[in-house]
Structures are given as structure tokens and as C-alpha cells.
Amino acid sequence: MTAELVRGQNHPLPQTRLEIRVSAGHPIVAGVTLGDEQGTVRGTEWVAHPAAPQLPGIDVPKQAAADHRLAVDLGAMPEDVHRVNVLLALPTGVGGPTRFGAMPAPFIAATGLDGTEVASYTITDLDSESAVVALELYRRQGAWKVRAVGQGYAGGLAAMLQDQGLSEAVELAARINDAIAQGMARSVAPPPPPRPEGEGRVRTATVGGSGPMGESAAAPQQAPAGTAAGAAPGSGGPGSGGSASGGSVNYQHPSRRTSAPPTPPPAAPPAQPGQPAQPVAGDASGWTMDERLYNQVWGMFEDLARTTAAYRSAVDFADSRMEKELDGVLSDPRTRFGPAADAARAEARTKHTALVEQARAALDRDLAQLAAEAEVVEPALPPAFARWDSPVWQAYQVPMEIPMALRLGELYLPERSDLRIPMLVRLPLERGLWIDSGRDALSDAAMVDSGELRRLAADTAVAHAARLLAVYPAGEFTVHVIDPAGSAAGSLAPLLSSGVLREPPASGAQGVSAMLAGLTRRVDLVQMAVRSGATDALPPDLDIAEQLLIVNDFPHGFDDRAVTQLRYLADEGPSVGVHLMMVADRQDAQAYGPVLDPLWRSLLRVTPVPDDHLADPWVGHAWTYEPSLVPAGSQVVEQVLTQVVRARQSYGR
């Protein structure tokens, strides 16, 4: 059973190998400090941070993100280490929030290696603080315990490190912020395509994002970045609306506010007296219409999560109240039987029904407003956010700049399965994708045989790859495919027939080895060039576009060396523009045991069929994910990819 801690509370740890999971509504920095018996950090070598992510028994993320997983092995701690502090801080200079009070309360949990939560803590009551000691793992009489700390610092990372006795706190904080800023920027900026004279290229500045809905708004570089929240399931935020507050959904709640845009969002039509305001597309704040729509989609996600949580809470309250009243009747032998007992039972059930009906009425009212908003928003979404059956694809043109997010599918809850929220992830991708082709972990795979499920998984991978190719400027995104046995030939037909692949899919063990060696070389070269500030010295034949590697039917065709290279690409590739898309059944790779656990954890798991596997620790929902697939018989992908190839040719890419 999970221990839900409050500030200052501790809990024993049943094991020494843990995973610390962090969820927030905006990109944050996660790190760890080691302390002696007095809690003093003896030097920078006792701090694990994005610029130096590994210590004995510690592995922390290398980038800022809204969701983190930190690996901790307390059994590997040196004998003079008695405290392990988990630190969270807001990155500086990247356009996000500057204080924790302006974002949802961070959630942190200590779990076993199997994902079972040992203890969790929601860090509340933060305001002006920009850094916080979230958890402390400490050794007491030979055993380890976890304590919820929640100590915030308005002076940021430097003040927090100074408070732990680190003399080089200011210098180390600067190094960490520099590493985060570099990790959030694109590793190598490719040359822009030819533009008419006098026109300049506007590149969208991105601020992290690794969850199913992204984590932060983006703004053009010449303007301050906004601070709208994203929406990985599990991130929430303040705001009114939903039945939790007893009123209707407020379409102007604080989560949809960013810094003032240069042009106001479209005005909603005046509401009739006594009627809710009519929603319009783009009613959230933002510097561009795409940013407003992105923020509006996040607002819809948050409203649906909140109003559903309020309804479920009300039903739980009604159930517990009726149970308590019935227990009171049954506990007294004098009132257990007879007309008085029957009347008491009937009254308890009547109260229960009234409470549930009242909660359902509030839920239906809010869901109706959200459904009306979805009907307005969906047709207005740009290609990067739209479904494949949207008319916007019929007028598709290759873009001149990278969009801020990409649609991977839809999210919904069982209370109203026809109310779908677009699932958006931020671009460029911070995590690879794992399209799970296995049956065992899927709730809706009972009617789909194994072969059909694998075909659907390959189709899903091609649909995602085609969308990525379509939303990037010409020549700025390259797709590679590893299909060792050729089992995905049918699904890959749109990529092959359009000529969008620069090389045929790699097959056989030799093809797998050659493909991985080439991408590993690219990662190594770009990393060295970026660290030395010599990006102009890269080989002229090196493709500096963003890269996506689709791996089908893993681990077929992979030897131990190839598996090691794949793990390296998953860990190091995203920071230099190399991304991984795995189409695999985890059961097929059981022979590798825990060696591949870090690989699976580093990828965002999606499914080829609807499945309720996306957990939301903010309000406890299990969101059902449905992939964004091409309608049967549609030629939209082929048409879009043909335009992508023509644009490449016209620009000499």
C-alpha cells in the first residue's frame, strides 16, 4: 500500500533499489545531492545533475522535463553517505515559470523497480520558491527511510546548494543552468531553405515537454515565451471550472493565461441570459493562433480531468455516507429489524440517489460545454494537431517552420467516451516512442490476434512518421527504418512508394549493424561539435536534419552489440536530434532481462489499439489512449508525402 506523505512525515523503505518519479505541469530540473551524517554536501562530486548525471548508485535525467525518472541504488552508496536529497528546480532563461507558485504542485513518488509505489508526496504551499528539496532518503541504524521535505528556496538552485554546505554552489548552479539551456536548444541548426528576398525565417523556441500532452507553451524567439501548462497525464494546475467548484466550466481559468499576446484571442459571441458562454476556437492566450489552440486543448484536458474527478469524489462520498448510515442502523439490535429499520434504509438510499444525481447533473452540464468546445476546436486545428480525416490536410502545404507540438492520438475517460481530447507532444521530441505490439499488456486486444496487432502497430508507426515528415520544413526531418525480416513491408508502402525514405529499410543482421553504426557516429560527431563550439567543422556529408529511427520487430536481427548501440541512441540521441520509435513486444525481448529496462523506461509507450494505460497521478484517472490512424482507403498520407518529396527536390534537399 502506498504511503501518501505530508511534509515532515517519514516512511521505511522495504528495498534499496528505487525509482524516483516526478511529475509537474512544466519542465523542471531534477537532481540529487549526497550528504554526510550532518547533511553536508562535501563537494561538487557529491551532486548528480544534468551536466554530470551519474554518481555511484544514482542516475538523474540530463534535461529539464515535466516528467522525470531517477534511478537510485541505496546499496551502492559509500559508507560516509547518510542522506540522499532529491532536488527540483525551475530552469532559468528558457521562458518558463520563475516560481513554483505559478504552476501545478509537483508530485513525487518513490517506487520499486516493478513500478509499485512505496511512498508519494505532493509538494504544496510553494509560492516564490524556484528550487525545492522534495524528498530525503536517509540512513538510520542501518536501514533506509524516506522523508517528505518540501523545503523551498526563493534564491533558487544556488541558495539550496549553499544551504547544504556546498562552497561552490553558485558556480555549480550556473553550470547546471547552462547545461539545461543547451539541452533545450536544437543541437545543430540546419540551414534554412531558400526564401524570397526580404523574408526572414521565424523559428519557434521550444521549452521541453515529454508527456503525452507536452509541458509548456512556446513563443517566437523575438518575444518572451509563454507559461501555459502542458498536459502529460499526471500534470494539473490551478484554475476554476468543473463541478469541483460547484459552477460551470470557466473558459477563462488561470491555466489558459500566459503573458499578454500581441493580438487578443477571438471574442466569444455574447451569451444569452442564464446560458453559458459560447466557446470559440483559440480563446486561450498565446502569441500565435497555433499556440492559442495548443493552450486551449490543454485547458480542455484539465477541465475534463477536474470535473470528472469532482464527480467521482461526490459518488464516493455518497457511497461512504450511505454505508455509514446503514451501519448505524444495523449496529443497534433494537433498530435492525422492523418498520423503523426499513424506513432508515430507504432514507439512506434516497439520500444516496439524490447526491449521485446532483453530481451527475453537474458533470453532464460541464461535459456538454466541453463537447461544444471540442466541436468548435477540432475543425480549427492545424495539420500538426489535426486528425488524418480533417479537411485541413486537403489544403496541406509543406511548412516553413517547426510547429510547437504534434498529435499522437486522442484521450478520453469512460464517463463520456465520445468526448476526445487531442494528445499532443512537444517538438522537437524529448523522448522516443514505443508502440507496444504485445497482447499481454493491452486491455482491448482480446479481439485482435497477434499478427493483426503487429500489423496495426507497424501502421501506427508509419502514421506517426508520416505526420512528423509532414510538419517539419523540407529537408529538416529524415526517417530511417530497421525491418530485419521485412515483416512490415505492407505498412511501409506509403514511405517507400513516395520516395520519402533516403535509403531502403535495413534488413538482416548486417543491415541492422550498419544502420546503428551510422546513427551512432552521427550522435558522437554532433555531440563533440556542440561541446567544442565547432558545428561548422562537421563533415559536409553529415545529415544534420532531425533523425527518426523506426525499429520494427525488435529484437529480431539484433546481437548484443546492436542492443548496446540502440540503448545508446535512446539515451544520447534526443539531445542531438536522433529519435527512436520502437515497434516491439516486450515479451519478445525477455531473454535480455533487466538489461533493457532503462530502454523501455526511456520511451513513451503508446498502443495500436485503444488502451487505458496512461495514468494521471494528479487526480488518479486512467486515460484511454487511441492512436491517430489514417482512415481506411484514404490516400491522404501518400498525397502529403508526395508534396514533402517535391518540396525537398525544389530546395535541393
Side-chain angles (χ1 to χ4, degrees):
M1 183 176 179
T2 304
E4 298 182 1
L5 305 180
V6 297
R7 181 172 296 174
Q9 187 178 0
N10 60 47
H11 185 74
L13 292 172
Q15 56 203 62
T16 57
R17 298 184 65 188
L18 305 168
E19 186 175 73
I20 306 298
R21 301 185 180 185
V22 180
S23 180
H26 288 270
I28 59 175
V29 181
V32 168
T33 60
L34 307 181
D36 56 20
E37 287 185 291
Q38 287 71 41
T40 302
V41 179
R42 296 182 180 178
T44 56
E45 68 277 5
W46 276 28
V47 184
H49 54 84
Q54 292 183 332
L55 293 176
I58 301 292
D59 193 351
V60 304
K62 299 179 181 179
Q63 296 180 349
D67 297 282
H68 287 294
R69 294 189 178 189
L70 293 72
V72 177
D73 185 358
L74 298 173
M77 292 295 119
E79 292 185 0
D80 50 352
V81 171
H82 291 262
R83 301 187 189 182
V84 178
N85 292 308
V86 180
L87 318 177
L88 306 178
L90 296 175
T92 60
V94 295
T98 58
R99 59 187 185 90
F100 277 108
M103 58 182 285
F107 173 86
I108 187 167
T111 74
L113 296 184
D114 59 354
T116 303
E117 283 191 7
V118 177
S120 65
Y121 173 39
T122 301
I123 311 172
T124 57
D125 299 328
L126 296 177
D127 187 11
S128 61
E129 297 88 346
S130 58
V132 61
V133 178
L135 290 181
E136 179 186 56
L137 313 177
Y138 63 98
R139 197 196 313 250
R140 182 67 53 84
Q141 296 179 349
W144 287 90
K145 294 185 176 182
V146 58
R147 177 186 291 120
V149 180
Q151 176 62 53
Y153 295 83
L157 196 56
M160 180 168 56
L161 294 173
Q162 284 178 336
D163 192 46
Q164 296 186 30
L166 184 64
S167 58
E168 306 94 330
V170 176
E171 295 81 0
L172 181 58
R175 283 178 54 201
I176 295 173
N177 287 324
D178 288 345
I180 291 299
Q182 293 175 10
M184 288 177 135
R186 295 188 68 199
S187 59
V188 180
R195 298 289 299 275
E197 189 172 358
E199 288 189 24
R201 178 166 180 153
V202 178
R203 174 75 64 158
T204 300
T206 56
V207 188
S210 62
M213 281 279 296
E215 282 74 38
S216 177
Q221 288 183 341
Q222 67 267 27
T227 57
S235 60
S240 60
S243 56
S245 59
S248 60
V249 175
N250 179 359
Y251 289 101
Q252 300 296 333
H253 60 70
S255 290
R256 303 193 192 186
R257 296 177 189 153
T258 63
S259 55
T263 56
Q272 297 296 326
Q275 298 296 320
Q278 295 299 311
V280 296
D283 78 336
S285 297
W287 292 91
T288 66
M289 187 60 176
D290 287 1
E291 186 180 345
R292 294 176 198 151
L293 288 168
Y294 175 85
N295 293 340
Q296 187 172 14
V297 168
W298 155 240
M300 293 165 60
F301 172 87
E302 186 185 55
D303 283 338
L304 179 56
R306 181 187 298 107
T307 193
T308 304
Y311 167 72
R312 293 179 181 180
S313 177
V315 172
D316 289 343
F317 170 76
D319 291 343
S320 63
R321 176 174 173 174
M322 181 178 69
E323 183 178 354
K324 182 178 180 180
E325 291 179 350
L326 292 177
D327 286 346
V329 173
L330 296 174
S331 63
D332 189 347
R334 294 172 297 178
T335 61
R336 190 173 299 169
F337 303 101
D342 294 339
R345 293 188 187 96
E347 182 181 3
R349 295 189 179 98
T350 300
K351 291 180 181 178
H352 175 271
T353 301
L355 288 173
V356 172
E357 289 178 349
Q358 182 181 2
R360 185 70 208 194
L363 175 68
D364 290 342
R365 179 195 63 220
D366 291 346
L367 293 181
Q369 291 186 47
L370 287 170
E373 186 174 17
E375 290 179 0
V376 172
V377 170
E378 188 67 50
L381 296 177
F385 301 175
R387 294 195 298 253
W388 280 113
D389 60 357
S390 171
V392 72
W393 288 106
Q394 304 305 317
Y396 167 77
Q397 293 182 347
V398 178
M400 300 300 291
E401 61 181 26
I402 301 173
M404 64 186 304
L406 181 87
R407 184 174 188 145
L408 286 185
E410 298 173 343
L411 300 172
Y412 60 91
L413 293 171
E415 278 74 9
R416 183 161 178 175
S417 60
D418 64 327
L419 179 54
R420 308 296 180 91
I421 307 297
M423 175 179 168
L424 307 178
V425 296
R426 292 299 306 273
L427 291 178
L429 296 173
E430 282 196 350
R431 298 174 65 186
L433 299 177
W434 166 28
I435 302 172
D436 192 350
S437 60
R439 289 171 51 85
D440 295 344
L442 299 179
S443 58
D444 289 349
M447 303 303 293
V448 183
D449 62 40
S450 178
E452 177 67 9
L453 194 61
R454 291 177 185 270
R455 185 193 65 79
L456 289 173
D459 288 348
T460 303
V462 171
H464 292 329
R467 186 183 290 267
L468 282 163
L469 286 163
V471 302
Y472 269 77
E476 292 198 17
F477 199 87
T478 302
V479 174
H480 308 274
V481 179
I482 290 179
D483 188 19
S487 59
S491 299
L492 294 172
L495 300 180
L496 295 169
S497 61
S498 65
V500 76
L501 295 181
R502 300 186 187 275
E503 55 190 348
S507 60
Q510 290 184 345
V512 171
S513 178
M515 179 71 74
L516 294 174
L519 289 174
T520 301
R521 172 179 174 270
R522 183 199 182 278
V523 171
D524 290 339
L525 288 175
V526 175
Q527 280 187 338
M528 288 188 292
V530 171
R531 289 167 182 168
S532 61
T535 56
D536 55 346
L538 287 169
D541 62 338
L542 188 72
D543 184 3
I544 59 175
E546 296 275 320
Q547 312 281 312
L548 175 69
L549 174 61
I550 302 176
V551 179
N552 183 58
D553 206 17
F554 177 81
H556 184 80
F558 280 73
D559 55 20
D560 290 345
R561 176 179 172 80
V563 169
T564 301
Q565 289 177 318
L566 192 68
R567 287 186 55 188
Y568 176 76
L569 292 177
D571 292 339
E572 303 294 337
S575 64
V576 291
V578 177
H579 311 285
L580 193 60
M581 185 184 293
M582 299 278 292
V583 182
D585 179 359
R586 190 169 182 175
Q587 296 298 318
D588 293 343
Q590 274 187 327
Y592 289 96
V595 171
L596 289 180
D597 287 350
L599 173 64
W600 303 120
R601 288 196 299 265
S602 69
L603 304 174
L604 171 62
R605 177 178 175 259
V606 294
T607 54
V609 295
D611 188 66
D612 59 351
H613 68 281
L614 293 178
D616 181 354
W618 174 42
V619 288
H621 298 330
W623 291 83
T624 298
Y625 164 81
E626 184 169 333
S628 180
L629 297 177
V630 182
S634 173
Q635 298 296 312
V636 62
V637 168
E638 289 81 353
Q639 296 169 4
V640 167
L641 293 180
T642 298
Q643 292 193 51
V644 171
V645 173
R646 289 175 182 170
R648 283 182 180 177
Q649 294 170 348
S650 65
Y651 289 131
R653 302 293 181 86

